[in-house]
Each structure stands twice: as structure tokens, then as C-alpha cells.
Amino acid sequence: LCSLSAEQFARLRARWDEPARKLTITDMHTKAKRPGGLAGALSTTGVTMVATLEPRALALHLAGSGDAAAWAEKLKALKASKAALRAQLKLGAKESARSRKAEEGDKPEDTASAAADTRLKLRQGIAVEIDEAEVVDDETLLMLQHGIAYAASIGTEPLVARLYTQTLLHAPERMFAAKLPPIHTVCVDYSSVYGTDSVAVDTIVMTDELGARLSWEDHQQFLGRLRRDGKAIYLSMRTMRLATLGARPP
């Protein structure tokens, strides 16, 4: 910058002053399957942390909610899985009751019920109690089924917060060496720029709508979420300039 002539600086300043088109959540979803799109930027070796103003909305889009027809079919299949598990547990409870009544104490009362699996399996490594699943909306469960979670300063469902914490913060480091963790993508808001620290994160993505509101110091803190070597991805040159140079257009 110090070597720029007055004319070069004036040209650059004029370009910096041009209104920048912000990349919306819908844009991110539309471009997700293109080379270089947001989905293409997600890590295949660790956890990707995406910083945004609307973490839940972006998490749902990354899970595929933008494709309304396919999303509806997945929700239908999830509802069927929950209903089948409920029916199985109900049938098991009836059979257990009949068995106890017929044998009058020859068996421990909880033998049959203890053998019953009351968990709804969402994906490899993620299974939740059916009662817990019933108090969470199905879109959230489908998001978790895709290995995507979110963390926000307010409004995060307890189930999502628990799985997020278990997977990212309490899992042993050796777990991440062999394969992706069950939760491989987390969408976060400003609160996680300073508050989340996990050895599993090897890719961070800063969206424009949040990046434009952060100070240079905030951006440096977000870069610190990379505990080891990794990638920091910005969705525009303007946000990258702000993060690296502190260059904010007047």
C-alpha cells in the first residue's frame, strides 16, 4: 500500500466505495453445489465452523432445506422412523407386562424393558432418546441427521447444544484423526468468535453479513479458532481486506 501512487490509490478507493452485494443465505444454498461454493468449502478432514448472523437458518440450508421436495420426503421418512420406534416400544412394553403377569416374579421386572433400545438413531455416532426427540422440531433432527449443528447466544435447543458440546469440546483428540466426527459442520454467531475452542476445527468460514460488522481484533480472534493448520475462507475480497488489513471503506 505504501508504494501506491496517488492515482492508483484513488482508483482502488473508488472500487472499495462501490456498494458490495451481500451473499444471502439463499445465495449460499443456490451456489452450494458449484465448485468453490459454500458446501464445496466444507472440510473433509475435520470440523468446519461457519460464522454468520443467522446460524440456525444457515445450518438448515446447508442440510438441504432449500430443495423443498427432497426436504419434505426426508421429513416424512424421519416421522415414519419415530412412529416405528414408538410402536416398537409400545409393543415391547405390552409383552413385558404380560410376561411379568404370567410368571409372577420369576423374572426381574425390568429385564425386558432394559433390553429395549429407546434411542432414535440419526446418523453414525448420533442417537437420541425418543422422548428427547419428541420435544424438538423435526427440521432440527433432520439437520443433525446431516451432521450439521448450530450455536447461538440465545435460542439454541438443549439437544443441539448438548450434541455440539459432546462432539466438539469433550471428545478425545484421537477421535478426529481417523474420521470426521458425527457433527462435522457448525454454524455459529458472534458469541463463538471468542467462545469456542476445539482441536477438531480445521476450516473456518466468515460470511459477509457478519464479517462486515466485526472489528479487525474480532477477525483475529476468529482466526484463532484454528488450533492447528487449516483454512480460513472469506466470501468476498472486502471481508478479507477487513480481516487481514483492517481496511474498512469510509
Side-chain angles (χ1 to χ4, degrees):
L1 289 176
C2 295
S3 63
L4 292 176
S5 67
E7 292 78 9
Q8 290 173 322
F9 180 81
R11 285 198 300 270
L12 286 174
R13 181 171 182 175
R15 290 189 61 183
W16 289 355
D17 287 343
E18 292 175 1
R21 180 176 179 272
K22 294 181 178 179
L23 190 64
T24 65
I25 289 175
T26 302
D27 295 329
M28 294 175 192
H29 174 74
T30 301
K31 298 179 180 180
K33 295 184 179 179
R34 301 178 188 172
L38 185 57
L42 303 183
S43 175
T44 58
T45 58
V47 173
T48 302
M49 180 181 291
V50 186
T52 178
L53 284 178
E54 302 176 64
R56 176 178 166 80
L58 182 54
L60 288 171
H61 271 281
L62 287 175
S65 65
D67 187 339
W71 190 253
E73 286 298 317
K74 291 177 181 178
L75 285 173
K76 183 178 179 181
L78 178 63
K79 290 178 186 293
S81 296
K82 290 167 62 178
L85 179 57
R86 278 291 187 193
Q88 179 183 342
L89 293 174
K90 186 176 181 180
L91 179 61
K94 288 182 178 179
E95 292 177 350
S96 177
R98 285 197 298 267
S99 176
R100 288 197 302 269
K101 185 175 181 180
E103 300 184 15
E104 284 295 331
D106 288 344
K107 290 183 179 181
E109 285 193 8
D110 60 349
T111 298
S113 60
D117 189 353
T118 60
R119 298 173 301 165
L120 177 68
K121 184 176 180 180
L122 297 178
R123 63 182 282 117
Q124 186 66 35
I126 299 181
V128 299
E129 292 292 333
I130 184 63
D131 290 337
E132 193 175 24
E134 292 290 4
V135 298
V136 178
D137 69 85
D138 289 339
E139 286 198 330
T140 298
L141 294 175
L142 201 52
M143 174 184 72
L144 294 170
Q145 192 176 76
H146 284 78
I148 300 171
Y150 75 96
S153 56
I154 56 173
T156 305
E157 293 97 327
L159 171 62
V160 178
R162 178 173 63 78
L163 292 175
Y164 171 91
T165 301
Q166 285 179 352
T167 303
L168 290 185
L169 305 183
H170 293 166
E173 185 172 351
R174 63 179 182 276
M175 170 184 174
F176 306 113
K179 59 182 179 180
L180 282 175
I183 300 294
H184 56 75
T185 302
V186 292
C187 298
V188 302
D189 63 7
Y190 175 78
S191 62
S192 292
V193 169
Y194 287 84
T196 299
D197 192 15
S198 172
V199 295
V201 175
D202 70 356
T203 300
I204 58 175
V205 181
M206 176 61 70
T207 60
D208 289 342
E209 76 273 9
L210 177 59
R213 291 167 168 79
L214 301 183
S215 67
W216 180 84
E217 290 78 11
D218 291 332
H219 281 287
Q220 297 307 300
Q221 286 291 331
F222 186 58
L223 287 171
R225 299 313 95 200
L226 290 173
R227 286 277 299 276
R228 295 181 287 190
D229 292 341
K231 295 182 295 184
I233 299 172
Y234 296 88
L235 300 185
S236 73
M237 289 299 296
R238 175 170 294 207
T239 305
M240 181 179 286
R241 284 195 297 268
L242 177 59
T244 55
L245 303 174
R248 187 186 297 275

